[in-house]
Structures are given as C-alpha cells and as structure tokens.
Amino acid sequence: MNTHTQPNTSVKMAGAKENAYSRRILQYMEGFLVSKTLFTACELGVFDHLDASEHPLSAMAVAQGLSTSKDGMERLLSACVGLELLTTQPILYSNTEMSTMFLTKSSPQSLYHSIEYSSNTIYLCWHYLKDAVREGKNQYEKAFGVSSKDLFEALYRSDEEMVKFMQLMNSVWNICGKDVLTAFDLSPFKSIYDLGGCSGALAKLCVSVYPECTVTIFDLPKVTETCRKHFLSDEDLIPCFTLGDFFKDTLPDADLFILARILHDWKEERCILLLDKVYKSCKPGGGVLLVEALLSEDNSGPVTAQLYSLNMLVQTEGRERKGSEYTRLLSAAGFSSVHIHSAGHIYSVILALKG
C-alpha cells in the first residue's frame, strides 16, 4: 500500500503557476543580455564577415578576421546560435536567413544602423530611465552632457550624430514605408509634403508608389543638406526640398501633409500648434497623414508601443498615444473624417481630412 501523501491538484497548479511566473520574470531580466549580444555581434561585424565568406567559418577564423579573442568570439557565436541568428554544423558558423536579410549592412532591408543607434545612443539614455520617471523629462543632459532645451539640437548635437539618427529613420522606413504609404490610396493628393522628412526614405517611396504626385521634403537646412549628401543617389527618384522649421516657418500650401513619427516627439500643446498650421495650409479637400505606434484604448498594450512611450520619456518631450487621443488633437485643429488603419509591423496610419 502506498503510504505517501499525493500532492493535491490545487497544490500542483499553484506550483506550475509559480514556475511560469518565475520563468517570465527571468526572461524579462535577461532582455538586456539579448539586446547587448545582438548589438555587439553587429558592431563587431560578425554577420557581415560571415556574409562575405563563401563557406561557413570556425570561431577561430571569425576571431582572426575580426581581431578578437578566440574565447570571447566562441561565446558570442554560441549565444547567437541560441538566439537563432547563426547556424552551426557543428563547429562552423554561418548566418541564418533572418540575419542575412536584416543584420548585414549590404542588405536593402538592413537594420544595422538602427541597431547601432540603439546601442550607442538610446541604450545610454535608458541607463537613466529611473531618473526620467522621477523627473518626468528626457535624460540627454545626464547621458551626453548636452542641454535638451532645443530637442533637435540635442539629437543633432554633432554631424556624426545627425547622420546616425537619419540612418536609423532610413532603416525604419525601408522596412515599413511601403505598408505605411499604401494603407490609404494617396493618389488623389497631387501635392504632398513630408514634414520632418529626414533621410528622404519615406518621400522616395512615396514618389515611386505615386509617381503622378509631387512629393516634397520639408526639413531643417542642415538635415536636407545631409540628406542630399548621404542618402540620395543618381538612381533615386528624387523628391523636392523646402527648407524650414515647421514650428517657426510658414508652411506651403499642399493637398496632403505627412507627419511620420513626428507628433510623438512633442507635448500636446506643440502638437496642436503644428496641426493648426497644417490645417491652415491644407488646400480644400486636403488632409494630413499621421504615422504612429498606437496604444490600445484600454491601456492593455501593445507592449511595443508601451515601451516606445518610455523611450519617448527618456529621449524626447513627447509620448505614444491612443487613436482616440490623436483624433481629439486633429479635431481640435479643425480636421474631420478621421480614419485609422493598421499598416502592419508596429505602426498605424491616421488620415484626417479638411472639410
């Protein structure tokens, strides 16, 4: 006869729940280890080096090619295998399809520069997240020793930093831009201004998708100069340029204004100021297209937008918002007929028309 007391069902369930909770917390704690592994492998050139090779390489070969220690490289490559960024067979390493597509510099879909900016700029700001939560303001002064009184003076604190930020935006729109621009049919809008068009990636895509439209980048003089120098080639469908500060300068008349990841940088009063200027410059029947990562109406997610909102706290004056909040801001500026459409990935597109 079995005299041992068998655990009852409720005790088993409680133990399983406790184990699941602890695993989840440990995964959250390890999140930064995953990020830094990815950042380091990219910045050392692991994926580019393997991509350039005609055959899989040993850890020693990669270490010699990238001038690192063999032991350190073995550990890094092993971690990348665990993250499904590399494959091994069994001691020779090669890129996965995902890594070749998104982590090599030469790929048209490369996120390398986005990763580089996250590692060297965003990550440093997040070191001061606790201070940002306590103070309710961005942390550029602590992270980089520069005043953030003028937000984009802080972001563009050197020519090198400006190029890096523009590369970040370029990689984002190379991935998401076409979905954003085709969420609605924009062909009826013959004159389109991309306010804060930055690297020109979204404007170039707009020209290719809607060749009958005139597309103009409106941005600061030093940004448009950098765009021409670093981000446009002779083969590109070249958009037009208008130099200016969209807060300080008069906006030209247009059928459609695109504000892609612009309003999330700013406090509500600045958003209303800009939207009011846009409304006044919209031609009759024109509109504005907003591209943002939207928070759910019940505050339950999505987690990407929630984390982005924390990033806005440490880096900018703004925040991510709900669709209803953008609708209210647009209505306050005079826009009507607000339509919201998911563009896949992480962004939603909001089209509002001038009645």
Side-chain angles (χ1 to χ4, degrees), residues 36-37 40-41 44 46 58-60 62-64 66-80 86 93:
K36 288 302 288 183
T37 299
T40 299
L44 287 176
V46 168
S58 66
M60 174 63 81
V62 177
Q64 289 176 341
L66 298 178
S67 301
T68 73
S69 69
K70 178 177 179 291
D71 178 52
M73 183 55 67
E74 280 182 336
R75 300 185 197 205
L76 180 62
L77 296 178
S78 177
C80 287
L86 298 178
Y93 297 89

Side-chain angles (χ1 to χ4, degrees), residues 40-347:
T40 299
C42 277
E43 292 177 286
L44 287 176
V46 168
F47 305 108
D48 290 316
H49 190 67
L50 289 171
D51 188 55
S53 174
E54 296 180 354
H55 50 78
L57 297 176
S58 66
M60 174 63 81
V62 177
Q64 289 176 341
L66 298 178
S67 301
T68 73
S69 69
K70 178 177 179 291
D71 178 52
M73 183 55 67
E74 280 182 336
R75 300 185 197 205
L76 180 62
L77 296 178
S78 177
C80 287
V81 170
L83 294 173
E84 300 181 359
L85 301 175
L86 298 178
T87 60
T88 181
Q89 38 173 307
I91 60 170
L92 299 177
Y93 297 89
S94 57
N95 289 337
T96 61
E97 182 181 18
M98 176 176 68
S99 296
T100 299
M101 187 177 297
F102 294 112
L103 301 180
T104 58
K105 291 180 186 177
S106 59
S107 170
Q109 297 167 286
S110 178
L111 288 171
Y112 174 87
H113 292 298
S114 179
I115 290 166
E116 183 182 43
Y117 192 82
S118 295
S119 177
N120 296 314
T121 299
I122 297 174
Y123 201 86
L124 296 182
C125 288
W126 274 71
H127 180 73
Y128 299 99
L129 176 60
K130 181 170 62 177
D131 296 312
V133 171
R134 283 175 173 161
E135 300 165 9
K137 64 179 185 180
N138 70 59
Q139 297 297 305
Y140 267 93
E141 192 161 347
K142 288 177 184 163
F144 305 109
V146 296
S147 170
S148 60
K149 186 176 181 179
D150 185 319
L151 176 59
F152 276 83
E153 282 297 317
L155 279 170
Y156 299 155
R157 57 192 175 276
S158 69
D159 290 344
E160 181 183 10
E161 280 299 314
M162 181 167 59
V163 170
K164 287 180 179 179
F165 178 81
M166 294 172 73
Q167 287 172 330
L168 162 72
M169 299 311 301
N170 204 63
S171 63
V172 168
W173 297 130
N174 283 341
I175 299 294
C176 306
K178 190 168 184 179
D179 289 337
V180 161
L181 292 171
T182 56
F184 297 99
D185 178 13
L186 305 182
S187 60
F189 304 103
K190 299 306 179 186
S191 60
I192 300 175
Y193 273 77
D194 184 8
L195 298 187
C198 199
S199 72
L202 199 61
K204 286 188 292 184
L205 282 168
C206 195
V207 171
S208 67
V209 175
Y210 303 105
E212 71 280 9
C213 299
T214 300
V215 182
T216 303
I217 296 170
F218 186 101
D219 215 322
L220 300 169
K222 63 182 180 180
V223 175
T224 57
E225 180 184 350
T226 303
C227 174
R228 286 190 175 104
K229 182 177 179 181
H230 293 280
F231 296 94
L232 295 180
S233 67
D234 294 338
E235 293 78 31
D236 285 326
L237 296 168
I238 306 297
C240 306
F241 290 91
T242 296
L243 312 185
D245 181 322
F246 50 58
F247 282 120
K248 298 176 182 178
D249 298 320
T250 302
L251 299 181
D253 293 341
D255 293 314
L256 182 71
F257 290 91
I258 298 176
L259 280 73
R261 302 295 279 158
I262 298 295
L263 295 185
H264 76 152
D265 288 334
W266 307 103
K267 294 182 183 295
E268 186 167 306
E269 53 269 26
R270 298 272 270 174
C271 292
I272 293 174
L273 171 65
L274 180 54
L275 288 174
D276 184 63
K277 292 184 69 174
V278 167
Y279 182 83
K280 290 174 180 175
S281 295
C282 263
K283 296 177 181 179
V288 61
L289 191 79
L290 308 183
V291 184
E292 297 290 355
L294 297 185
L295 296 165
S296 60
E297 295 297 328
D298 64 359
N299 298 313
S300 63
V303 67
T304 299
Q306 291 166 330
L307 294 173
Y308 279 8
S309 200
L310 276 177
N311 191 52
M312 293 300 99
L313 176 63
V314 297
Q315 278 207 285
T316 73
E317 298 176 10
R319 57 179 299 134
E320 306 300 347
R321 297 178 173 90
K322 303 173 184 177
S324 61
E325 291 177 300
Y326 281 115
T327 298
R328 178 174 53 79
L329 292 174
L330 289 161
S331 298
F335 287 100
S336 60
S337 187
V338 178
H339 305 275
I340 302 176
H341 195 287
S342 173
H345 297 286
I346 53 178
Y347 297 123

